[in-house]
Amino acid sequence: MYLKKLHIGREILAITFFLFIALSLHSQIQVQGLIADNEGAASWNADGSGPEPYGVGHSTFTYYIASRDYVNPAAAAGAHVTSIGTDFPLFAQALTNNGFTPGQVIVKLGLASLGNDLEGEDWFTFGNEHHLNFYPISTLMTINGEPMISGITNYMMFNYGASTGWSWQMESNFFVAADASGNSSAAVKAVAAAFLLDVSGHELRFNFQSLGSTVPFTGNGRNGSYRNISGNIEKGRPELAFQGLAVNHEGFAGWDADGTGPEPKGDGHSSQKYYVASRNYDDIDPDPNAGFARLLGENGSGFQNFALQLQYRGFTPEQVKFKMGLRDIGEDIEGEDWSYIIPIHEVNFYHSDITAEINGEKVFGFVCDTATTYQNTSSPSLGWWGTSAITSVYDASANSSAAVQAIASSFFKDMQNRQIQTITTLSTYANETFSGNGRIGGGFWQINEAKMVAMPMKGTQVQPGEVSGHWTMAGHPYIVTGDITIPDGQTLVIDPGVWVKFSDRVRFKVYGAIKAVGDTSNLGKIVFTAVNPELGWGHFEFDQVNVANEWSVFKHCIFEWGSAALPVPWNQPYNCGGALALRDTDRVKIEDCLFHHNKALNNGYYTANGGAIALWNSNPVIQNCIFNNNHANWSGAISCAVGSSPDIVNCLFYGNKSLNNSVDGGGAILVAADANPRLLNNTFVNNHSNFSGGALEIYNGSNPDLINNIFWGNTSPANSQIYISSNDCNVDFKYNDIEGGQAGIGPYGIGSGVFENNIEADPVFVDALALNYQLGDGSPCIDAGIPDTTGLNLPPFDLLGNVRIWDGGVNGAIVDMGPYEYASVFPGIEKINPENSAFELTNYPNPFAGITTIEFVITENAMVEVAIYNQLGQLVTTLVNEELTAGTYQIAWQAGDAPEGIYLCRMKAGSKFLTNKIVKVE
């Protein structure tokens, strides 16, 4: 209601307010506290000789307030309930059932003060209108003196002036009701339970008025007066209404893309557009006022300080405008990303940043991890509606003016520790179209009715300090508020589906071990992300981890918006590695993970390098991962420095950038200072360096092995694919596809290394415009990989689709590798001769038509995964994924609609692999 006050005349404000009260009496709990009944409110100044510290308010306003019983314990209370509205039916019935009347319910308010008593923060004056905040107020509701419900309201705002008839109008912010009846009688407990059921899903706030004469009091260091109060308790949520109309060039744009413009190729299902963003995105609507939406001045509740701060700084709510970044439908999979159950069409859009601005200056922002929209296709003219996931909100005003920073501060005073959810009740097509820049079938929609709702904090706040134990979905998401550390000898386990959100650029230090193992289900990834993507979060730091600790494992994880900060201490390389930084540490496995939008851009003693991962004398295992759109001053994705010799296997690198334009580069990877990594079965495409080595730079005594890799479409001013920048490197190139061939490698040569069986040919990706870099039919890379796998410890096939373990023939088919047990690429694991191993894997019948039985034997307790893959190394199904004891097992694979052809069954038991060919026939 205070947003309304900003735009209506003072002379009708009181009429509007009391009309609102009159219309809503039926739904609220009415209360009254009269001096004559030994109730009411007390306000006073204190000289410091009594129980309160010295405090004197400004002008005619006192510094302290409370209900009357606080000053005079013999008083009855602050107020009692006079009637109960229809919003609280269970509460009313429970009072009756337990022999109570509403008048026996007493409300008491604890001590509150003006705090710092600063104008423009704690109190505001507009002419003869006064607004004051008293902080905080504890609340207790009792029945016959027995506690029932408690709560703490962050502030109670007092308003006084002509618009209130020169009486006090008091309105608290919303607060959470808590059960206080633990030591009360069974009857009071029953009433408390009924009350909380009525409130469920909402919060409470007070609306009081102080009418009539006052009674002064003194003593005990106090000088004040008692006041009559009446009003109500209502339930609801803090919310702000917004709207984005096409006439104001607001709303959102929706389109498909053919991949020739700034967005990858994306085609939504049927008439549904794949991409959406606010109209200002990439100047789709070039109007200078284009955006997503703006606040409405006529609606809103629970944001009193925000509204008053806007007015105090000379702004109106309509000047608070929103902009929305790009979001899409993800994989666009029916049943996961969208569904159509007649007549409701449901669509999920993922991951866009929404920011609030005033005159182009940022105020606050939040990330919509998921926004679900709905349409009734039987009545399409009724438009779309939907809700977003509940998410954390961040202060975006760091670079804004002092006035906008004050407005942001008042917004968060009202928000407290809550999170944001957007609710759209109506969005309609604006009958406008656009195209161009690779965008197809574009159109505009407007936001007719919507609101932002402040919701209670979801998840677990993680305070700075030591962590270990188990993070589960029950505590999800985990909001990290400061630097945290896993101590030596301790382990932290994170379950599938958990999100870890960092509220600042903080560091996660690991001296023990972390087990972050997600799964392949739609919601099974573990996500490490930032509350504020623009600021980012720090990174994981592994520094001289004791070898007595377990291996740390990251599997099926997403690392995004990591941002290595300036190092502490200054002369250490902790400004490197946007998501992960490893120093003198080997025991880390990184499998099946996605690294995107991470960065290392803060130079210190060392130039910031490794946009995703920085290695310093460390040898982790990195396999089956995707690195895209990571940035650093050197080495956009991974830096391997100072003797680091990791295995980097079956990974895809695209869209990574090295930004320094004066020395060193490596758009995807930098190998330097006696580093000897082994790069196997990787694809490097469309990476860029502003200086040298669009995909890879090698120098300073480094001797990497490059086997079965693709280097294509990378760009740089010097040697677009691979840059060897010193003459002391010996580099082996075997069975790679390199754009430009050996001429694309330089300026120094490969030393005493070898260059053999490499090709220079377009790899023929399935659909590069859609970022599908699997090998298409007719790719020259098929059957061009290394034909002899002995001694290489290679996995049996490339999970990204770059199939390279073949018989060397010309037919392009994967041949039967036999029941070989391939060791993993983990250091210290030896390849086992299957003839001497008790581990077994077979299936029968083989070939088979509809169903086949897979039998496997393990001789020790282990975590076992049995999965089926097609010829491109794509997962078809996972049959087993659990801890098993030693023994023989059987499981049936019912292939169903799977096409005929060759499939691979892989059993992973602990760190050992067995692979078997399965042939399906019609």
Side-chain angles (χ1 to χ4, degrees), residues 92-102 104 143-144 187 191:
Q93 187 63 51
L95 285 172
T96 300
N97 292 346
N98 289 278
F100 300 123
T101 64
Q104 291 174 274
I143 299 177
N144 290 347
V191 176

mmCIF file of all heavy atoms in Angstrom, residues 92-102 104 143-144 187 191:
data_model
loop_
_atom_site.group_PDB
_atom_site.id
_atom_site.type_symbol
_atom_site.label_atom_id
_atom_site.label_comp_id
_atom_site.label_asym_id
_atom_site.label_seq_id
_atom_site.Cartn_x
_atom_site.Cartn_y
_atom_site.Cartn_z
ATOM 1 N N ALA A 92 -10.149 -20.174 14.610
ATOM 2 C CA ALA A 92 -11.406 -19.856 15.284
ATOM 3 C C ALA A 92 -12.070 -21.112 15.832
ATOM 4 O O ALA A 92 -12.562 -21.138 16.975
ATOM 5 C CB ALA A 92 -12.341 -19.124 14.326
ATOM 6 N N GLN A 93 -12.076 -22.170 15.027
ATOM 7 C CA GLN A 93 -12.715 -23.401 15.459
ATOM 8 C C GLN A 93 -11.964 -24.040 16.622
ATOM 9 O O GLN A 93 -12.574 -24.568 17.565
ATOM 10 C CB GLN A 93 -12.803 -24.386 14.287
ATOM 11 C CG GLN A 93 -13.611 -25.636 14.585
ATOM 12 C CD GLN A 93 -15.057 -25.318 14.887
ATOM 13 O OE1 GLN A 93 -15.725 -24.602 14.126
ATOM 14 N NE2 GLN A 93 -15.571 -25.834 16.007
ATOM 15 N N ALA A 94 -10.642 -23.985 16.578
ATOM 16 C CA ALA A 94 -9.845 -24.577 17.654
ATOM 17 C C ALA A 94 -10.055 -23.850 18.974
ATOM 18 O O ALA A 94 -10.075 -24.481 20.045
ATOM 19 C CB ALA A 94 -8.370 -24.570 17.274
ATOM 20 N N LEU A 95 -10.229 -22.524 18.943
ATOM 21 C CA LEU A 95 -10.533 -21.797 20.173
ATOM 22 C C LEU A 95 -11.834 -22.303 20.772
ATOM 23 O O LEU A 95 -11.919 -22.601 21.983
ATOM 24 C CB LEU A 95 -10.628 -20.299 19.886
ATOM 25 C CG LEU A 95 -9.316 -19.542 19.666
ATOM 26 C CD1 LEU A 95 -9.593 -18.111 19.199
ATOM 27 C CD2 LEU A 95 -8.476 -19.518 20.944
ATOM 28 N N THR A 96 -12.844 -22.418 19.921
ATOM 29 C CA THR A 96 -14.144 -22.890 20.399
ATOM 30 C C THR A 96 -14.051 -24.315 20.926
ATOM 31 O O THR A 96 -14.570 -24.642 22.005
ATOM 32 C CB THR A 96 -15.178 -22.816 19.267
ATOM 33 O OG1 THR A 96 -15.290 -21.458 18.821
ATOM 34 C CG2 THR A 96 -16.531 -23.317 19.733
ATOM 35 N N ASN A 97 -13.394 -25.180 20.184
ATOM 36 C CA ASN A 97 -13.300 -26.586 20.577
ATOM 37 C C ASN A 97 -12.594 -26.779 21.910
ATOM 38 O O ASN A 97 -12.843 -27.761 22.624
ATOM 39 C CB ASN A 97 -12.560 -27.393 19.504
ATOM 40 C CG ASN A 97 -13.353 -27.508 18.218
ATOM 41 O OD1 ASN A 97 -14.551 -27.215 18.180
ATOM 42 N ND2 ASN A 97 -12.686 -27.915 17.151
ATOM 43 N N ASN A 98 -11.693 -25.854 22.246
ATOM 44 C CA ASN A 98 -10.916 -25.997 23.475
ATOM 45 C C ASN A 98 -11.387 -25.058 24.581
ATOM 46 O O ASN A 98 -10.690 -24.867 25.583
ATOM 47 C CB ASN A 98 -9.438 -25.761 23.178
ATOM 48 C CG ASN A 98 -8.818 -26.897 22.379
ATOM 49 O OD1 ASN A 98 -8.435 -27.916 22.953
ATOM 50 N ND2 ASN A 98 -8.738 -26.718 21.063
ATOM 51 N N GLY A 99 -12.572 -24.482 24.392
ATOM 52 C CA GLY A 99 -13.200 -23.701 25.459
ATOM 53 C C GLY A 99 -12.654 -22.301 25.641
ATOM 54 O O GLY A 99 -12.831 -21.704 26.710
ATOM 55 N N PHE A 100 -12.029 -21.745 24.594
ATOM 56 C CA PHE A 100 -11.503 -20.392 24.682
ATOM 57 C C PHE A 100 -12.365 -19.427 23.873
ATOM 58 O O PHE A 100 -13.096 -19.829 22.964
ATOM 59 C CB PHE A 100 -10.063 -20.325 24.155
ATOM 60 C CG PHE A 100 -9.089 -21.198 24.894
ATOM 61 C CD1 PHE A 100 -8.349 -22.155 24.208
ATOM 62 C CD2 PHE A 100 -8.901 -21.066 26.256
ATOM 63 C CE1 PHE A 100 -7.447 -22.957 24.868
ATOM 64 C CE2 PHE A 100 -7.999 -21.871 26.934
ATOM 65 C CZ PHE A 100 -7.269 -22.821 26.242
ATOM 66 N N THR A 101 -12.232 -18.139 24.199
ATOM 67 C CA THR A 101 -12.850 -17.076 23.411
ATOM 68 C C THR A 101 -11.747 -16.260 22.758
ATOM 69 O O THR A 101 -10.598 -16.251 23.243
ATOM 70 C CB THR A 101 -13.697 -16.153 24.290
ATOM 71 O OG1 THR A 101 -12.842 -15.483 25.222
ATOM 72 C CG2 THR A 101 -14.780 -16.952 25.024
ATOM 73 N N PRO A 102 -12.034 -15.542 21.657
ATOM 74 C CA PRO A 102 -10.999 -14.698 21.042
ATOM 75 C C PRO A 102 -10.384 -13.710 22.012
ATOM 76 O O PRO A 102 -9.177 -13.432 21.942
ATOM 77 C CB PRO A 102 -11.761 -13.997 19.917
ATOM 78 C CG PRO A 102 -12.848 -14.947 19.557
ATOM 79 C CD PRO A 102 -13.274 -15.569 20.864
ATOM 80 N N GLN A 104 -9.456 -13.993 24.918
ATOM 81 C CA GLN A 104 -8.412 -14.564 25.758
ATOM 82 C C GLN A 104 -7.052 -14.642 25.045
ATOM 83 O O GLN A 104 -6.051 -14.988 25.672
ATOM 84 C CB GLN A 104 -8.816 -15.966 26.233
ATOM 85 C CG GLN A 104 -9.974 -15.974 27.220
ATOM 86 C CD GLN A 104 -10.422 -17.378 27.550
ATOM 87 O OE1 GLN A 104 -11.243 -17.959 26.834
ATOM 88 N NE2 GLN A 104 -9.906 -17.933 28.633
ATOM 89 N N ILE A 143 -2.487 -17.367 25.416
ATOM 90 C CA ILE A 143 -3.858 -17.643 25.854
ATOM 91 C C ILE A 143 -3.797 -17.904 27.350
ATOM 92 O O ILE A 143 -3.114 -18.853 27.805
ATOM 93 C CB ILE A 143 -4.461 -18.864 25.136
ATOM 94 C CG1 ILE A 143 -4.517 -18.632 23.622
ATOM 95 C CG2 ILE A 143 -5.864 -19.152 25.666
ATOM 96 C CD1 ILE A 143 -5.035 -19.829 22.833
ATOM 97 N N ASN A 144 -4.480 -17.038 28.112
ATOM 98 C CA ASN A 144 -4.461 -17.159 29.577
ATOM 99 C C ASN A 144 -3.038 -17.223 30.114
ATOM 100 O O ASN A 144 -2.729 -17.988 31.033
ATOM 101 C CB ASN A 144 -5.253 -18.388 30.038
ATOM 102 C CG ASN A 144 -6.751 -18.231 29.830
ATOM 103 O OD1 ASN A 144 -7.227 -17.120 29.560
ATOM 104 N ND2 ASN A 144 -7.480 -19.324 29.940
ATOM 105 N N ALA A 187 -4.403 -27.927 25.343
ATOM 106 C CA ALA A 187 -5.408 -27.106 24.667
ATOM 107 C C ALA A 187 -4.761 -25.976 23.887
ATOM 108 O O ALA A 187 -5.105 -25.702 22.734
ATOM 109 C CB ALA A 187 -6.408 -26.557 25.688
ATOM 110 N N VAL A 191 -4.558 -25.163 19.721
ATOM 111 C CA VAL A 191 -4.902 -23.888 19.082
ATOM 112 C C VAL A 191 -3.713 -23.374 18.257
ATOM 113 O O VAL A 191 -3.891 -22.874 17.141
ATOM 114 C CB VAL A 191 -5.324 -22.852 20.137
ATOM 115 C CG1 VAL A 191 -5.584 -21.499 19.477
ATOM 116 C CG2 VAL A 191 -6.573 -23.321 20.877
#
